[in-house]
Amino acid sequence: MALVPYDGNYLPVLSKLHNSSAEFHFADHNVRLTQDWNKLGVAAVVWDAAVVMCMYLELGKVAIELGAGTGLVGIVAALLGAKKVTITDHEPALGFLAANVKENIPPDQLGAVEVSELTWGQGLERYPTGGFDIVLGADIVYLEDTFPSLLQTMEHLSSESSVVLLACKIRYERDTNFLSMLKQRFTVHEVHYDKERDIHIYKAVKLPARRDL
């Protein structure tokens, strides 16, 4: 979610992130996304978690993607036939994100896709409480300082019938700490593991509200 630029001294394994574009084939469509590592850092490249999420994707009628970056997951959700998809990130990334949406969504489906600013934990009143069937996040669990606001945002967007799908690598202890925090508010199950990319997909459903007797 954070815009974290990197310097030019990158490892060879990261070379694909420095390509000006990335191409995929999902939902019987070719998807071509512009990338710009130097300008927007991690927000402007396609991470493996987004690719694995698209391979697995379940859809509800109304979807929202958090920390979308290049928008791959939200774009594929729209191509798969979601009734409405809201693709979100910080304001500096929106123009870049909107360009990728316009490039890859057929004109007759553009009305079903909205690119919108969302900083976790802020301005949530602009989004309907429990108003989404599915909440999507690919590789958004990496900055520990954002965990409380991310959880607050997930809770706000979800109802007890919503599904949250998170795709991520488990790199550090803080990542497992986030899952522990998530399990205090959601029922969480690992539903897919991509061994080649070392990506886990977790499905979370909001726990019923506690009713004091």
Side-chain angles (χ1 to χ4, degrees):
M1 181 173 176
L3 302 178
V4 184
Y6 285 74
D7 62 31
N9 298 319
Y10 54 90
L11 298 173
V13 72
L14 300 179
S15 61
K16 66 180 180 179
L17 304 179
H18 292 260
N19 293 336
S20 61
S21 65
E23 297 187 16
F24 307 92
H25 188 79
F26 291 114
D28 296 323
H29 287 76
N30 291 319
V31 178
R32 184 179 184 277
L33 302 176
T34 300
Q35 300 191 129
D36 195 338
W37 175 285
N38 292 328
K39 183 177 180 181
L40 292 172
V42 298
V45 294
V46 178
W47 296 94
D48 283 345
V51 177
V52 174
M53 175 75 85
C54 292
M55 293 175 176
Y56 178 81
L57 198 57
E58 297 179 29
L59 282 181
K61 294 180 181 179
V62 181
I64 185 167
E65 183 184 5
L66 305 179
T70 62
L72 177 61
V73 172
I75 288 168
V76 172
L79 294 176
L80 286 171
K83 181 179 179 181
K84 176 71 176 179
V85 181
T86 303
I87 305 176
T88 70
D89 212 318
H90 283 307
E91 192 280 332
L94 296 188
F96 175 82
L97 179 54
N100 276 334
V101 169
K102 185 176 180 181
E103 175 74 18
N104 292 284
I105 299 294
D108 61 344
Q109 291 181 256
L110 278 173
V113 182
E114 178 184 4
V115 174
S116 182
E117 191 278 333
L118 176 56
T119 298
W120 301 338
Q122 300 179 25
L124 295 180
E125 67 278 0
R126 295 185 292 113
Y127 296 88
T129 302
F132 296 89
D133 299 308
I134 186 163
V135 179
L136 302 165
D139 220 356
I140 60 175
V141 178
Y142 59 93
L143 291 177
E144 195 164 11
D145 289 347
T146 68
F147 290 176
S149 56
L150 174 56
L151 284 170
Q152 179 189 0
T153 301
M154 290 177 176
E155 281 196 294
H156 176 83
L157 299 173
S158 302
S159 69
E160 293 174 15
S161 61
S162 304
V163 170
V164 177
L165 286 177
L166 294 176
C168 60
K169 288 190 175 185
I170 302 299
R171 303 178 178 92
Y172 309 107
E173 183 179 357
R174 65 173 179 258
D175 302 329
T176 57
N177 289 343
F178 175 81
L179 292 176
S180 296
M181 294 169 64
L182 184 65
K183 289 175 182 177
Q184 295 176 20
R185 308 182 192 187
F186 292 79
T187 300
V188 181
H189 299 286
E190 182 173 349
V191 292
H192 182 69
Y193 176 64
D194 187 302
K195 185 176 181 180
E196 180 181 353
R197 295 179 175 86
D198 189 28
I199 299 293
H200 304 259
I201 295 183
Y202 297 94
K203 180 178 180 179
V205 177
K206 193 174 184 180
L207 291 169
R210 294 180 61 180
R211 294 176 174 85
D212 295 330
L213 298 177

